[in-house]
Amino acid sequence: MDSNQTIRCEIRCDWKKEEVFTIYRLPLLDLVYQASTIHRTYFDPGEVQVCSLLSIKTGGCPEDCAYCPQSVEYDTGVEARPLLQVDEVVKRASDAKASGATRFCMGAAWREVRDNKDFDRVLEMIREVNDLGLEVCATLGMVTEDQARKLKNAGLYAYNHNLDTSSGYYKSIITTRTYRDRIDTIKNTRRAEITVCSGGIIGMGESEEDRMEMLMTLANLDPHPESVPINGLVAVEGTPLQNRSPVSPWDFVRMIATARILMPESMVRLSAGRMQLSLEAQALCFLAGANSIFAGDKLLTTPNQTIDKDKELFSALGLRPRKPFKEENAV
Ligand code: SAM
Ligand code: DTB
Ligand code: SF4
């Protein structure tokens, strides 16, 4: 494909390596132009989904994910805390709603969900946050199909489980579980008819090929994940990746544009790492097809761009927060 050829907008789950590499390596402005064209075919380019994140169970995680400040393996200053109470979570969700969020994602530093009292409490959180009229998302580690059905029955709208990187590079980042485990959890949530949120992280020392392979793996899931978060590594002191330099804004734009072209109907989320991007670079990400962000002063344990800065950005670009699906479907 040469840079003048317009990429056809169709939903495909059979992308070949060469096709993905050709798209990823287009001259940047051609890539952005084509991604933007596809974005405008499927979405209102003036709308951005605003999601809020809350760590419902912080730190003390037995996994060894090299990027993560919540692993017990690393001395990062993140204190391990027990699972929050339902009331506290509902209060935080309703505050997030009042400040404009329409999706609420609850994260737990767990390797996997266990069938115990803590899981029952998370199910109750989901029921109550769902009653607020928010799209509820959770990221709790590995789940079985049976657990996924319980989450669905409680009203869970989406499950986040990132592939994080390519299958080849995965072993350099995490040794306590496999890529296959990740894919299996995604399949379990899909079988339970929960929408899938899956993406990854750039800036962990992976090659361009690793980035393209990760996007190809996501784009060859059938159906595509409804939501694809692209995170820039937040290099936290104490983790093995503490000295990684920040991701280039051009790389961010390239990842987002390629994700948009490969998965035209998915929400592409400009996730962690916005603190290291200028407002202008973020604008280019929206032009390239990003249509979702995490808002609020904190991600799970690290700082995020402030609400005031987000307001400035939305106002400068003429962007509007997207309504939750529930309201769209309401009569
Ligand atoms: N423990 C669960 C799991 O690993 O699936 C859920 C929580 S975990 C913190 C969710 C995701 O956050 C990870 O898969 C990773 O993509 C992202 N993440 C964690 N630490 C990060 C960091 N320092 N920079 C960027 N993304 C990060
Ligand atoms: C995702 O892809 N990124 C979010 C959310 N899904 C769970 C998490 C980002 C975490 C960044 C590091 C931290 O704040 O601890
Ligand atoms: Fe645990 Fe998730 Fe962090 Fe890995 S990414 S250490 S599984 S909280």
Side-chain angles (χ1 to χ4, degrees), residues 61 65 67-70 107-111 139-142 160-162 164 177 182 200-201 231-236 272 300 302:
C61 183
C65 313
Y67 49 76
C68 188
Q70 302 197 66
W110 284 335
R111 168 184 165 74
T139 180
L140 314 169
M142 295 187 272
N160 166 255
H161 204 65
N162 291 336
D164 283 338
R177 57 165 190 259
R182 289 310 265 185
I201 309 178
N231 295 276
L233 173 74
V234 183
V236 179
L300 290 172
T302 63

Side-chain angles (χ1 to χ4, degrees), residues 74-287:
Y74 321 127
D75 192 4
T76 61
V78 171
E79 271 179 52
R81 296 194 178 266
L83 183 65
L84 295 181
Q85 299 296 330
V86 176
D87 289 356
E88 164 83 14
V89 173
V90 174
K91 161 96 180 53
R92 299 288 289 270
S94 98
D95 290 349
K97 185 178 177 186
S99 69
T102 54
R103 180 165 167 131
F104 189 72
C105 179
M106 299 182 270
W110 284 335
R111 168 184 165 74
E112 71 225 319
V113 168
R114 304 248 171 95
D115 296 298
N116 58 17
K117 289 241 151 47
D118 277 357
F119 185 40
D120 293 340
R121 197 191 292 172
V122 172
L123 294 173
E124 185 53 27
M125 290 172 192
I126 293 168
R127 278 190 278 272
E128 297 201 18
V129 176
N130 193 36
D131 287 346
L132 295 175
L134 289 161
E135 276 179 34
V136 194
C137 176
T139 180
L140 314 169
M142 295 187 272
V143 292
T144 63
E145 189 177 337
D146 182 55
Q147 292 164 339
R149 289 193 191 284
K150 289 185 177 142
L151 291 165
K152 170 77 182 177
N153 290 338
L156 191 74
Y157 182 77
Y159 196 80
N160 166 255
H161 204 65
N162 291 336
L163 288 184
D164 283 338
T165 187
S166 68
S167 62
Y169 198 61
Y170 199 78
K171 300 179 237 358
S172 320
I173 296 295
I174 298 146
T175 68
T176 47
R177 57 165 190 259
T178 65
Y179 211 61
R180 188 68 243 166
D181 292 332
R182 289 310 265 185
I183 304 257
D184 286 347
T185 286
I186 292 172
K187 292 208 165 127
N188 289 341
T189 54
R190 186 54 91 195
R191 284 193 201 106
E193 292 172 21
I194 298 170
T195 66
V196 170
C197 171
S198 188
I201 309 178
I202 54 173
M204 302 190 292
E206 73 287 344
S207 66
E208 279 202 322
E209 281 76 11
D210 289 314
R211 294 178 184 175
M212 293 183 243
E213 272 175 32
M214 177 186 84
L215 289 176
M216 188 176 77
T217 308
L218 291 167
N220 286 345
L221 292 172
D222 185 7
H224 292 157
E226 284 78 2
S227 153
V228 180
I230 304 294
N231 295 276
L233 173 74
V234 183
V236 179
E237 215 180 304
T239 63
L241 300 182
Q242 62 179 2
N243 293 324
R244 289 275 162 208
S245 27
V247 171
S248 141
W250 310 126
D251 290 2
F252 240 119
V253 173
R254 213 172 261 293
M255 280 301 280
I256 284 171
T258 308
R260 170 54 64 224
I261 292 170
L262 300 181
M263 295 168 278
E265 289 182 317
S266 303
M267 302 296 294
V268 176
R269 184 167 313 118
L270 173 57
S271 302
R274 285 200 298 135
M275 295 279 279
Q276 292 106 289
L277 292 178
S278 68
L279 295 188
E280 293 82 354
Q282 293 178 52
L284 206 46
C285 290
F286 292 126
L287 187 65

